[in-house]
């Protein structure tokens, strides 16, 4: 029963991710897009954990850790690039 | 904290992280993790901790940390409810603006913790920080001044005083 | 006992989804970058925390739960930091643009 509920929650979360994608597409400034991408990366990390547990592949949980790490570094790098126009 | 005890702490943390990620608890895993953690600590020994930033972990420090975490959790829940009320109401009652408040801390680690905590408290978002002031963006700009003298600031100052 | 745990998992999952939803709606409705950041940072932190807590209760005390706990701590530490950095660069961009116009 829990498996079904977690699956449904994953699908709802997936639909919410598209709202963030809309903001990343429309967003008037570059900072808006970075905020939207940051939100999407958090949601995707959550979704990876849920999918890993639903499909009973527990070792895939580590993938979410790596994904959260990459999302953080990408956000910092983009924000830095926004100000300096170079990555140093 | 001397450099040696910092290295031992880092070694224990790395070994624990290795065992959690390996999801197994047998001799081969532990020996491999031991070797890898020891090599990481050995080759990064020069950049582990410097003496100015290092803190001694005592019982009082842990007590202050626990109080700080509880105050922080409470304010996270409050701020989420507040954001939910603002976002879901028809005409959003916001009055955004910038405000500078004082900054009571000395150590860089505590400053970073306080900045993160301000971001998670209701209606505030830390933007920039120097040694005396923090620039804060507020959803309702008049409430930002209430941070000075709030429970969170008291918890952080207690935290700083314990460390000495 | 099992039924009690299941009900708790479902409540935590629904609360987490609700806070994620509030964050997404705030991202659309708020008027400028800083206000949008208020909504996303707080609600994402809380929503991820609640959903991970539900999954940890579901899995019980295993290595999987510990890994999820590490991800949870990582997200709770990095999300405000990333928001702080984006806000700083957005503020500097704002400052630059007004300077140019004058």
């Amino acid at each position: 029963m829990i498996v079904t509920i977690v699956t449904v929650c994953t699908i709802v979360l997936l639909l919410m991710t598209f709202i963030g994608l809309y903001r990343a597409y429309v967003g008037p400034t570059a900072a808006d897009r970075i905020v939207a991408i940051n939100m999407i990366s958090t949601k995707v990390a959550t979704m990876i954990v849920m999918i890993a547990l639903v499909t009973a592949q527990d070792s895939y949980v580590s993938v979410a850790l790596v994904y959260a790490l990459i999302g953080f570094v990408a956000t910092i790098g983009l924000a830095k690039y926004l100000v300096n126009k170079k990555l140093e | 904290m001397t450099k040696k005890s910092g290295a031992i702490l880092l070694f224990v943390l790395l070994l624990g992280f290795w065992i959690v990620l390996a999801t197994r608890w047998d001799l081969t895993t532990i020996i491999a993790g031991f070797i890898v953690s020891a090599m990481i600590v050995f080759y990064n020994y020069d950049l582990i901790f410097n003496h100015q930033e290092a803190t001694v972990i005592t019982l009082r420090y842990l007590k202050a940390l626990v109080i700080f975490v509880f105050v922080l959790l409470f304010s996270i829940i409050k701020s989420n409810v507040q954001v939910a009320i603002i976002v879901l109401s028809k005409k959003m009652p916001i009055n955004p603006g910038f405000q500078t408040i004082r900054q009571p801390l000395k150590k860089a680690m505590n400053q970073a913790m306080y900045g993160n905590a301000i971001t998670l408290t209701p209606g505030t978002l830390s933007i920039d920080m120097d040694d005396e002031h923090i620039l804060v963006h507020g959803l309702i700009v008049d409430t930002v001044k209430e941070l000075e003298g709030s429970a969170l600031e008291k918890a952080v100052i207690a935290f700083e005083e314990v460390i000495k | 006992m099992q039924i009690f745990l299941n009900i708790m998992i479902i409540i935590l999952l629904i609360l987490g989804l609700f806070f994620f939803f509030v964050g997404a709606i705030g991202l659309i409705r708020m008027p400028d970058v800083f206000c949008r950041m208020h909504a996303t940072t707080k609600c994402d932190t809380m929503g991820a925390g609640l959903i991970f807590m539900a999954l940890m209760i579901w899995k019980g005390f295993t290595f999987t739960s510990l890994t999820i706990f590490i991800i949870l701590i990582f997200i709770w530490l990095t999300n405000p930091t990333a928001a702080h950095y984006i806000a700083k660069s957005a503020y500097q961009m704002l400052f630059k643009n007004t300077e140019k116009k004058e």
Side-chain angles (χ1 to χ4, degrees):
Chain A
M1 186 184 82
I2 295 290
V3 172
T4 321
I5 291 167
V6 175
T7 314
V8 171
C9 285
T10 314
I11 293 167
V12 175
L13 209 56
L14 181 67
L15 293 179
M16 273 179 217
T17 310
F18 283 104
I19 304 176
L21 207 55
Y22 169 77
R23 176 51 76 191
Y25 178 68
V26 172
T29 63
D32 281 305
R33 298 177 214 268
I34 299 177
V35 173
I37 294 300
N38 188 19
M39 195 190 82
I40 288 175
S41 83
T42 311
K43 280 189 175 40
V44 169
T46 316
M47 263 157 51
I48 289 173
V49 176
M50 287 162 92
I51 290 170
L53 293 191
V54 163
T55 53
Q57 302 277 341
D58 283 5
S59 53
Y60 286 174
V61 173
S62 320
V63 177
L65 186 64
V66 177
Y67 193 87
L69 221 155
I70 290 173
F72 175 61
V73 174
T75 309
I76 295 289
L78 282 171
K80 207 165 181 175
Y81 182 74
L82 188 65
V83 179
N84 298 335
K85 300 294 177 211
K86 61 187 176 198
L87 287 174
E88 283 181 351
Chain B
M1 186 187 284
T2 59
K3 211 162 188 176
K4 199 172 267 180
S5 59
I8 291 169
L9 183 67
L10 181 66
F11 176 77
V12 171
L13 281 177
L14 280 172
L15 191 58
F17 190 59
W18 172 278
I19 289 170
V20 167
L21 282 192
T23 64
R24 235 176 300 143
W25 183 257
D26 52 20
L27 196 64
T28 325
T29 317
I30 293 174
I31 288 173
F34 195 89
I35 292 169
V36 171
S37 311
M39 274 168 73
I40 289 173
V41 171
F42 180 72
Y43 284 114
N44 293 311
Y45 191 70
D46 341 343
L47 30 110
I48 289 175
F49 288 104
N50 63 3
H51 290 281
Q52 285 85 34
E53 285 298 320
T55 59
V56 185
I57 295 176
T58 57
L59 213 62
R60 284 176 64 206
Y61 174 83
L62 286 179
K63 197 184 152 201
L65 185 67
V66 167
I67 290 175
F68 174 71
V69 167
F70 269 97
V71 172
L72 187 61
L73 279 180
F74 185 68
S75 65
I76 288 173
I77 294 168
K78 218 165 66 180
S79 73
N80 272 283
V81 172
Q82 188 217 28
V83 168
I85 288 171
I86 286 178
V87 167
L88 296 179
S89 64
K90 266 236 172 65
K91 23 185 328 203
M92 294 182 289
I94 59 172
N95 173 25
F98 299 102
Q99 177 88 49
T100 322
I101 63 168
R102 75 184 143 88
Q103 201 264 102
L105 303 171
K106 294 278 184 301
K107 285 195 173 171
M109 177 74 191
N110 295 348
Q111 287 176 359
M113 269 172 72
Y114 188 46
N116 277 1
I118 281 178
T119 301
L120 292 174
T121 44
T124 53
L125 180 77
S126 64
I127 292 174
D128 211 343
M129 182 186 268
D130 58 19
D131 281 338
E132 276 155 21
H133 304 286
I134 312 176
L135 182 64
V136 176
H137 179 267
L139 263 188
I140 300 161
V141 74
D142 305 326
T143 59
V144 172
K145 270 284 176 194
E146 289 169 14
L147 268 178
E148 291 185 357
S150 62
L152 185 77
E153 197 191 25
K154 275 174 199 157
V156 170
I157 290 174
F159 203 69
E160 172 104 348
E161 277 166 358
V162 161
I163 285 170
K164 271 184 267 179
Chain C
M1 193 60 199
Q2 194 57 44
I3 286 175
F4 176 72
L5 278 185
N6 284 354
I7 289 170
M8 207 161 147
I9 289 169
I10 292 166
I11 289 173
L12 282 176
L13 277 176
I14 288 173
L15 272 179
L17 277 185
F18 171 73
F19 281 122
F20 267 135
F21 180 71
V22 167
I25 294 294
L27 188 67
I28 296 294
R29 281 194 67 194
M30 289 286 193
D32 69 357
V33 190
F34 298 105
C35 300
R36 278 171 204 147
M37 229 173 283
H38 277 285
T40 55
T41 311
K42 285 160 195 162
C43 294
D44 267 17
T45 313
M46 187 76 178
L50 287 173
I51 286 183
F52 283 153
M53 238 177 266
L55 296 179
M56 272 158 68
I57 292 174
W58 180 28
K59 278 291 154 184
F61 193 76
T62 54
F63 274 118
T64 314
S65 293
L66 274 176
T67 318
I68 295 172
F69 187 66
I70 288 174
I71 299 170
L72 174 61
I73 287 184
F74 188 78
I75 283 180
W76 277 43
L77 282 181
T78 57
N79 229 341
T81 316
H84 171 75
Y85 208 94
I86 299 168
K88 196 173 167 182
S89 50
Y91 185 74
Q92 282 173 2
M93 289 301 284
L94 197 75
F95 200 61
K96 253 184 215 167
N97 287 344
T98 48
E99 225 170 34
K100 250 178 220 166
K101 272 175 201 161
E102 278 165 3

